[in-house]
Amino acid sequence: MEEGNRKAKTVQINHDGIINAVEFCPHSKAVDLLAYTIGPRLTLAKLEGSKKLQDIQQYHLGVEIVSITWSPTSSCFNEANTIIKLALSGTDNNVYLLENELNIADRNNIELGEIKVKTLEGQAQSFINGVACSNLDTIASVSNDMTLRVWKDATPCARKQFTSPACGVAFYPEQQTNGEERLLVAERRGVVHALALAGSELWPLLSLQTRQEPLQCIDLCPLDDAVLGGMAGDTYVQWGVDLANFESSLPILEIPLNGGHFKWARDTVDKIALYNSKQTEVIFLGDNDRQTNIIIEGHAASITWHGVHPLLVMAMGSTLCLQFE
C-alpha cells in the first residue's frame, strides 16, 4: 500500500440481491437521482443527505440488466420537455431505451411519471462492452462481435465492423457546425478510431495506434474532451486527443495500477476511481505518479460519482456503499 493511503469509512445500504450497475444522473437539476439494478429490476432512487437513499420508482425489464447510461441531452430539463432517458444493456445483448417524465420542484422534491421502454432493433451477437449517448439523442454500443451499432431517435442509423472486439465508445459532447457528431471507438488490439456520424453515414476521420494491448476500456474526460483515459492491461493511460493531431497522439500519462476499470470524477480532471476484483481506489493523477487517498476493500461491480458532492457510490455485492471524501 502506498504511503499516505487510508482505508475509507463508508455508509452501507443493504439490498435483497446482487447489484450489477449504479449510475448518478448527470444533469445539474437532478444530481441526487440515482439508478441502480438488481437482476432485471431497475430502481430510481433519491439521495437524502449523505447516509440515505429513498427508492422512488422501480421497473422490471424482463432480462438481467448489465449497464446503465444516462442520456446527457441538455434539453431534458427545459420548461417544454422534462424527459429523462437511460440506455440499458442486458444479458440478452440488446440495448433498451427507457424514458420517463420528470417533475422537479426543487432538489428535495422529485416526481416521476410512467416509465416507457423500447427495445432498440439490432441485437449484438455477443457481450456488449460499452454504451454511449450523445447530446442529440444518439445511442451507440460496441461489443465482442467487433461491431459498432448506432441508433438515432431509437431507430437503427449506422453500423461499422472492426477487426477485433470493440471495448469502448464515447461521444464528443459538442455537435459540429455541419451537424455531424463525432465519436471515439476503441478496439481491444490497441487502436482508437475517431469517426464522424453524418445522417446515417459513418465516416472514418483518424486512427490512433496506441501500441497498448489489450485495451479494456476508454472514456473521454467529462471536463476536458481533449483528454482520453483508458485501461491497457494493468496500466492506466491518458492521451491528448486533439483531432488536429490525433494520429500522432502520445501518452501523456502512464501509471501501473492493479488492472480493472476506471471512472472519471466530475469535479476535476486529475482524479479517477479505479475498481477491480479486490478494491476501489480514489486516485489523484499527475506527473507519472499517483497519490491514493482512499481505499475501499472488496469487489465493486460498478461505481458512480455524484455531480456536485465528492461522493462515490459503489455496487458491492448486495450492498450500495456511499463514500464521502
Side-chain angles (χ1 to χ4, degrees):
M1 188 178 297
E2 300 290 331
E3 183 179 354
N5 292 355
R6 62 180 174 85
K7 292 191 176 181
K9 296 179 180 179
T10 62
V11 174
Q12 297 187 352
I13 302 174
N14 296 321
H15 290 79
D16 60 356
I18 301 300
I19 303 165
N20 291 330
V22 59
E23 194 69 33
F24 270 116
C25 180
H27 304 290
S28 60
K29 292 186 179 180
V31 291
D32 293 332
L33 192 61
L34 180 78
Y36 67 92
T37 67
I38 297 175
R41 186 176 77 222
L42 172 75
T43 300
L44 296 175
K46 181 168 70 73
L47 179 68
E48 296 186 339
S50 61
K51 298 182 179 181
K52 185 178 178 182
L53 286 173
Q54 177 189 354
D55 292 347
I56 55 179
Q57 192 170 48
Q58 292 184 341
Y59 180 84
H60 287 259
L61 186 64
V63 63
E64 185 171 354
I65 302 167
V66 177
S67 70
I68 304 167
T69 305
W70 288 86
S71 168
T73 307
S74 58
S75 62
C76 284
F77 296 101
N78 63 31
E79 294 180 0
N81 182 18
T82 53
I83 303 293
I84 58 171
K85 299 181 181 182
L86 300 92
L88 311 174
S89 67
T91 52
D92 61 352
N93 302 326
N94 276 313
V95 176
Y96 300 86
L97 175 63
L98 181 149
E99 298 183 350
N100 199 345
E101 294 183 2
L102 180 66
N103 182 14
I104 303 177
D106 53 57
R107 277 182 57 176
N108 296 316
N109 187 7
I110 297 177
E111 296 180 358
L112 295 169
E114 180 183 356
I115 291 177
K116 300 177 181 178
V117 176
K118 299 176 183 177
T119 304
L120 301 187
E121 182 183 341
Q123 183 182 36
Q125 300 305 304
S126 59
F127 187 79
I128 294 173
N129 292 318
V131 178
C133 299
S134 81
N135 284 324
L136 298 177
D137 287 337
T138 304
I139 299 173
S141 76
V142 292
S143 56
N144 280 342
D145 63 7
M146 302 182 288
T147 305
L148 164 70
R149 293 171 173 84
V150 183
W151 297 267
K152 182 73 173 177
D153 297 324
T155 301
C157 173
R159 69 166 56 193
K160 184 175 177 60
Q161 196 80 21
F162 298 98
T163 58
S164 70
C167 60
V169 58
F171 279 96
Y172 278 90
E174 298 298 327
Q175 181 185 13
Q176 303 302 304
T177 55
N178 59 2
E180 72 181 23
E181 298 182 79
R182 292 181 174 178
L183 64 158
L184 298 179
V185 176
E187 290 190 64
R188 195 83 69 192
R189 65 187 178 95
V191 181
V192 180
H193 304 276
L195 305 170
L197 176 66
S200 60
E201 298 290 332
L202 275 170
W203 299 98
L205 296 175
L206 300 164
S207 292
L208 170 62
Q209 304 287 338
T210 69
R211 297 178 175 83
Q212 302 277 354
E213 295 185 54
L215 275 180
Q216 295 173 232
C217 59
I218 62 160
D219 199 14
L220 284 168
C221 177
L223 299 178
D224 185 354
D225 61 19
V227 178
L228 177 70
M231 289 299 301
D234 291 337
T235 301
Y236 172 77
V237 186
Q238 278 187 9
W239 299 271
V241 287
D242 183 345
L243 287 181
N245 303 295
F246 189 77
E247 289 180 301
S248 59
S249 297
L250 296 173
I252 56 177
L253 193 65
E254 293 185 64
I255 300 179
L257 296 174
N258 298 315
H261 292 77
F262 78 99
K263 186 68 72 76
W264 288 103
R266 295 182 182 176
D267 60 343
T268 175
V269 299
D270 299 322
K271 184 170 63 177
I272 64 170
L274 172 80
Y275 60 108
N276 54 35
S277 61
K278 296 181 179 180
Q279 63 189 26
T280 299
E281 301 177 57
V282 176
I283 299 171
F284 291 85
L285 306 167
D287 299 328
N288 284 312
D289 197 1
R290 85 193 210 204
Q291 178 184 349
T292 303
N293 79 326
I294 295 176
I295 290 181
I296 304 96
E297 301 290 349
H299 170 60
S302 177
I303 64 174
T304 183
W305 291 96
H306 191 275
V308 175
H309 302 303
L311 169 65
L312 182 67
V313 175
M314 298 151 283
M316 306 182 73
S318 59
T319 302
L320 283 177
C321 295
L322 283 62
Q323 170 59 44
F324 268 91
E325 291 180 26

